[in-house]
Amino acid sequence: MSSSATGRHANKTSPLIPAAKAKLLEGKKGLIVGIANDQSIAWGCARAFRAFGAELAVTYLNDKAKKHVAPLADALEAPIFMPLDVNAPGQMEAVFERIAKEWGRLDFVVHSIAFSPKEALHGRVVDVQRDGFLTTMDVSCWTFMRMAHLAEPLMKKGGTLFAMSYYGSQRVVKNYNIMGVAKAALEAAVRYMAAELGPKGIRVHAISPGPLATRAASGIPEFDALLDKARGKAPVRSLVSIDDVGVATAFLAHDAARLMTGETLYVDGGYHIMD
Ligand SMILES: NC(=O)c1ccc[n+]([C@@H]2O[C@H](COP(=O)([O-])OP(=O)(O)OC[C@H]3O[C@@H](n4cnc5c(N)ncnc54)[C@H](O)[C@@H]3O)[C@@H](O)[C@H]2O)c1
């Protein structure tokens, strides 16, 4: 039994993907970054990976976030539970050092974080100030590149790196603004990193979910209209859940997906194929 985040394994009532019977990822160890609460996409990913048998390291933003994330880390039986604010010097290195010390290797990383200051996100791309642009790109894109850099030496037998993107990288989505620019850079970074790391058996993917009502999404004006549009236009006529995103992400971490890399995988009910 792992050491736990709150000293007890809470949330026993919440089943971990009841349909997942086969422990397809048994023996794999991964880092999940971006759980804020039980609506987070990172939580959907963590639940799926755990349900398939993977062992997880989980991070939380800061002390304020810790109380929300700790019960979730407990439910995941995460043996590593650490703070990670990517703006705090040394914290990212500390997470990878602990993983190196405790596990000596890593099979996957899920990067599910993004941030843009309100004044940058809510204005026109044309008007974005340098500071807001740099912060947006730093947290939402560069940190994925840095995590790959730190993960590479731990992925001696290969591995998979995931980042969360959005359709606003490809088309102009109302109110997505500068984050669309950051996601376009993120998807390009995924392709370059996939080319660079492929010979080492390390695969790199962007996952592009349809809109989900999370805390991050609450910073986007008129988000409800985006949800309504997604529901109406997607061929399957329904919104995606964080579990849908989690299971698709977990599939790509499986050895059976070893010849897939550099992909932007849409989990959006088919929305992106429609005009
Ligand atoms: N919600 C959507 O509709 C949607 C759709 C497609 C892609 N995404 C992407 O999914 C990812 C996860 O977002 P979410 O929707 O689950 O929202 P969320 O609010 O649950 O997660 C965002 C996470 O980013 C973390 N974060 C922000 N600044 C950070 C920092 N400085 N250091 C470390 N962590 C930091 C937050 O702590 C939080 O855990 C983001 O990349 C987002 O752009 C979201």
Side-chain angles (χ1 to χ4, degrees):
M1 185 64 71
S2 62
S3 66
S4 75
T6 62
R8 72 200 148 82
H9 290 294
N11 221 11
K12 286 260 191 270
T13 51
S14 170
L16 296 172
I17 318 284
K21 294 205 175 72
K23 298 290 179 201
L24 297 169
L25 298 176
E26 188 115 64
K28 290 202 188 289
K29 297 179 191 298
L31 169 64
I32 307 277
V33 179
I35 303 180
N37 53 43
D38 65 2
Q39 329 234 286
S40 294
I41 292 171
W43 169 237
C45 291
R47 274 164 53 95
F49 277 103
R50 185 69 188 138
F52 289 123
E55 197 170 2
L56 303 177
V58 169
T59 68
Y60 56 93
L61 179 62
N62 52 28
D63 281 349
K64 204 171 146 216
K66 188 177 182 181
K67 58 179 174 297
H68 302 291
V69 187
L72 304 177
D74 267 359
L76 298 166
E77 301 170 297
I80 298 175
F81 181 63
M82 289 180 74
L84 175 54
D85 178 341
V86 295
N87 293 323
Q91 283 197 354
M92 208 193 293
E93 287 76 8
V95 169
F96 283 89
E97 275 162 26
R98 170 94 180 269
I99 288 170
K101 206 168 139 206
E102 248 170 72
W103 286 344
R105 55 172 255 257
L106 193 60
D107 298 299
F108 59 88
V109 175
V110 175
H111 174 289
S112 187
I113 66 174
F115 177 76
S116 183
K118 217 179 256 172
E119 57 283 7
L121 183 63
H122 289 182
R124 302 189 308 170
V125 166
V126 170
D127 302 325
V128 166
Q129 302 285 318
R130 186 160 188 262
D131 273 6
F133 173 75
L134 292 179
T135 302
T136 306
M137 291 295 279
D138 182 22
V139 175
S140 313
C141 181
W142 181 79
T143 57
F144 182 56
M145 288 145 62
R146 184 56 17 178
M147 280 182 205
H149 174 87
L150 295 169
E152 183 182 2
L154 294 171
M155 293 184 162
K156 291 181 205 84
K157 291 186 177 162
T160 323
L161 302 162
F162 299 101
M164 290 300 150
S165 192
Y166 180 60
Y167 182 67
S169 63
Q170 302 296 311
R171 295 282 182 273
V172 175
V173 172
K174 193 181 170 199
N175 293 317
Y176 205 58
N177 304 338
I178 195 63
M179 192 54 84
V181 177
K183 294 300 192 193
L186 182 67
E187 290 177 17
V190 161
R191 289 187 287 274
Y192 278 89
M193 287 157 57
E196 292 165 0
L197 298 174
K200 294 186 170 179
I202 301 172
R203 301 178 293 111
V204 191
H205 290 292
I207 308 294
S208 187
L212 286 144
T214 62
R215 174 159 338 130
S218 68
I220 298 169
E222 301 173 69
F223 193 73
D224 284 351
L226 206 65
L227 290 174
D228 288 344
K229 189 174 172 193
R231 198 185 284 109
K233 185 170 146 182
V236 302
R237 296 284 186 276
S238 83
L239 294 173
V240 297
S241 71
I242 59 170
D243 288 342
D244 294 319
V245 180
V247 170
T249 307
F251 158 70
L252 287 175
H254 192 269
D255 297 342
R258 69 188 184 282
L259 291 188
M260 297 172 71
T261 191
E263 200 63 63
T264 296
L265 181 73
Y266 288 91
V267 186
D268 66 350
Y271 183 94
H272 70 286
I273 66 165
M274 305 301 289
D275 76 355

